């Protein structure tokens, strides 16, 4: 005759735990799946001891059903290979770990319709919060996203956007316009008068705000934006744009502003491959202050965004019952390095 209390082969089930503890299946489920219904402490101890003995792992779907939400926070990023998003994700993960939660990361590839599909799919996991860190896209391509976010909020989840929020969403602000304006002003003060901006496609909010801010700051200090070259947010896009530019008229002393550090690093590589020098010949600036920009030579002039702090703040915005929407944006700082030496 088999011993009913012996550990089962393979993964232990909830039925195994209930049998081992000598309680009903419903009681075992309430203890292990996080139901809000009270269970006597003696039963709870028996169930937890049995679960530990059998090596039982709770079913996240069952927990979500019992609680109405799961111990998950969902993070949507455009490109996890981009250091901007990986540093931001590090801050989200730190906050989630402190709260006893798990982070699920989904990649939007900067495709608005893919973003809509991902939000719809993530609703089925019932995450505690949803953080949208991908660059906001405006216009007809973004249709449908807000209704999905409202549906998610209607299920009790909280939505956080980096940048201006809409509808039922919360917002963690990044002053892209102000940071870029300060960068433009500083570079004009260093003597630069002619700039080419390498930006993302029109309609991407982060890029558009940085272009507008830089144009305002640089122009008000006596500089001229010669051209805005629209491309993408990647290193390869920056490289291709700069390669094409350098085949034309880019005189010594020209400044190229890459809309992000990743784009700017691509620009720097293209300048070198064209047999020209970064800094004294063609100056380059970026935005974000990723670690790579500090390590390359010459170091990249940029705007420092506290990316890990930004992710950490977004996580708390997704979890806290009350959130102060008037909280000021994180402080951004212009950092001048060797890629933009002062000009006479």
């Amino acid at each position: 005759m088999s011993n009913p209390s012996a550990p089962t082969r393979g993964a232990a089930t909830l039925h195994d735990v209930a049998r081992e503890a000598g309680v009903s299946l419903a009681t075992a489920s309430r203890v292990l799946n996080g139901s809000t219904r009270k269970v006597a402490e003696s039963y709870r101890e028996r169930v937890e001891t049995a679960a530990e003995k059998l090596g039982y792992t709770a079913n996240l779907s069952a927990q979500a059903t019992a609680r109405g939400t799961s111990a998950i926070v969902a993070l949507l990023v455009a490109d996890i290979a981009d250091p901007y998003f990986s540093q931001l994700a590090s801050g989200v993960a730190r906050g989630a770990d402190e709260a006893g939660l798990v982070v699920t990361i989904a990649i939007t590839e900067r495709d608005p319709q893919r973003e809509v599909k991902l939000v719809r799919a993530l609703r089925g996991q019932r995450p505690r919060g949803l953080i949208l860190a991908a660059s906001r896209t405006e216009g007809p391509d973004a249709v449908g996203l807000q209704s999905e976010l409202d549906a998610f909020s209607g299920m009790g989840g909280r939505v956080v956007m980096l940048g201006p929020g809409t509808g039922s969403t919360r917002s963690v602000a990044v002053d892209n316009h102000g940071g870029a304006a300060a960068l433009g002003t500083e570079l004009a003060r260093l003597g630069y008068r002619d700039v080419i901006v390498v930006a993302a496609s029109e309609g991407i909010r982060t890029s558009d705000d940085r272009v507008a801010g830089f144009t305002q700051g640089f122009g008000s200090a006596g500089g001229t934006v010669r051209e805005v070259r629209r491309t993408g947010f990647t290193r390869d896009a920056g490289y291709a744009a700069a390669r094409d530019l350098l085949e034309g008229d880019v005189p010594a002393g020209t400044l190229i502003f890459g809309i992000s550090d990743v784009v700017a690093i691509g620009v720097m590589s293209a300048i070198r491959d064209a047999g020209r020098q970064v800094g004294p010949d063609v100056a380059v600036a970026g935005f974000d202050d990723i670690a790579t920009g500090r390590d390359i030579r010459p170091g990249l002039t940029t705007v420092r965004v506290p990316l890990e702090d930004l992710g950490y703040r977004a996580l708390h915005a997704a979890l806290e019952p009350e959130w102060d929407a008037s909280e000021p944006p994180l402080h951004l700082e212009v950092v001048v390095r060797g890629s933009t030496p002062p000009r006479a």
Side-chain angles (χ1 to χ4, degrees):
M1 182 179 296
S2 62
N3 181 356
S5 64
T8 58
R9 294 179 180 178
T13 67
L14 191 61
H15 287 83
D16 298 327
V17 174
R19 184 168 59 246
E20 176 72 25
V23 299
S24 69
L25 181 62
T27 297
S29 177
R30 288 168 193 155
V31 172
L32 297 175
N33 289 327
S35 172
T36 56
R37 295 183 63 179
K38 297 293 184 181
V39 176
E41 190 61 30
S42 60
Y43 286 169
R44 181 176 298 278
E45 290 177 358
R46 284 159 56 182
V47 170
E48 290 175 347
T49 298
E52 183 176 359
K53 176 181 177 181
L54 298 177
Y56 172 78
T57 302
N59 184 305
L60 294 180
S61 297
Q63 286 187 342
T65 300
R67 296 174 178 171
T69 185
S70 65
I72 292 174
V73 172
L75 171 64
L76 267 66
V77 299
D79 179 5
I80 197 61
D82 185 330
Y84 173 94
F85 294 110
S86 58
Q87 287 179 231
L88 188 141
S90 178
V92 173
R94 175 163 57 91
D97 185 62
E98 292 174 358
L101 302 175
V102 175
V103 180
T104 293
I105 298 179
I107 314 300
T108 70
E109 299 176 353
R110 296 189 173 89
D111 180 343
Q113 292 309 307
R114 176 176 169 82
E115 191 171 38
V116 170
K117 292 176 182 177
L118 286 170
V119 172
R120 185 178 300 138
L122 286 166
R123 278 200 289 128
Q125 295 185 20
R126 300 188 182 182
R128 193 80 51 86
L130 178 63
I131 300 171
L132 277 75
S135 303
R136 300 261 52 75
T137 301
E138 299 178 336
D141 286 344
V143 172
L145 178 60
Q146 189 59 52
S147 62
E148 289 296 330
L149 297 179
D150 289 342
F152 179 86
S153 298
M155 294 171 58
R158 295 194 184 94
V159 178
V160 177
M161 286 185 174
L162 299 190
T166 58
S168 58
T169 66
R170 294 182 175 186
S171 171
V172 175
V174 180
D175 189 8
N176 287 301
H177 186 284
L183 177 64
T185 300
E186 178 62 18
L187 291 173
R189 189 190 68 78
L190 289 175
Y192 292 94
R193 290 294 178 266
D194 190 29
V195 67
I196 299 170
V197 179
V198 178
S201 301
E202 195 167 4
I204 296 179
R205 181 66 179 269
T206 299
S207 175
D208 289 349
D209 285 351
R210 292 178 182 181
V211 171
F214 188 91
T215 301
Q216 176 185 316
F218 195 65
S220 65
T224 300
V225 176
R226 188 212 303 182
E227 179 184 353
V228 177
R229 180 65 60 99
R230 297 285 180 176
T231 176
F233 249 119
T234 66
R235 178 265 178 204
D236 289 347
Y239 182 95
R243 180 196 58 205
D244 293 345
L245 287 166
L246 291 163
E247 290 176 353
D249 181 25
V250 181
T254 298
L255 168 68
I256 299 180
F257 169 46
I259 209 66
S260 72
D261 284 354
V262 170
V263 170
I265 288 168
V267 169
M268 293 172 76
S269 294
I271 292 170
R272 292 193 186 93
D273 287 352
R276 301 183 65 171
Q277 187 178 5
V278 175
D281 184 0
V282 181
V284 180
F287 200 112
D288 293 327
D289 196 31
I290 63 174
T292 306
R294 304 168 210 164
D295 295 335
I296 57 177
R297 292 293 177 269
L300 178 62
T301 292
T302 188
V303 177
R304 177 174 295 153
V305 181
L307 294 171
E308 289 196 22
D309 290 344
L310 180 63
Y312 189 80
R313 181 181 285 194
L315 185 281
H316 281 278
L319 298 183
E320 294 178 9
E322 301 296 330
W323 177 252
D324 185 1
S326 65
E327 188 170 351
L330 290 166
H331 175 67
L332 306 187
E333 176 187 0
V334 174
V335 181
V336 176
R337 300 192 179 103
S339 68
T340 57
R343 296 192 58 78

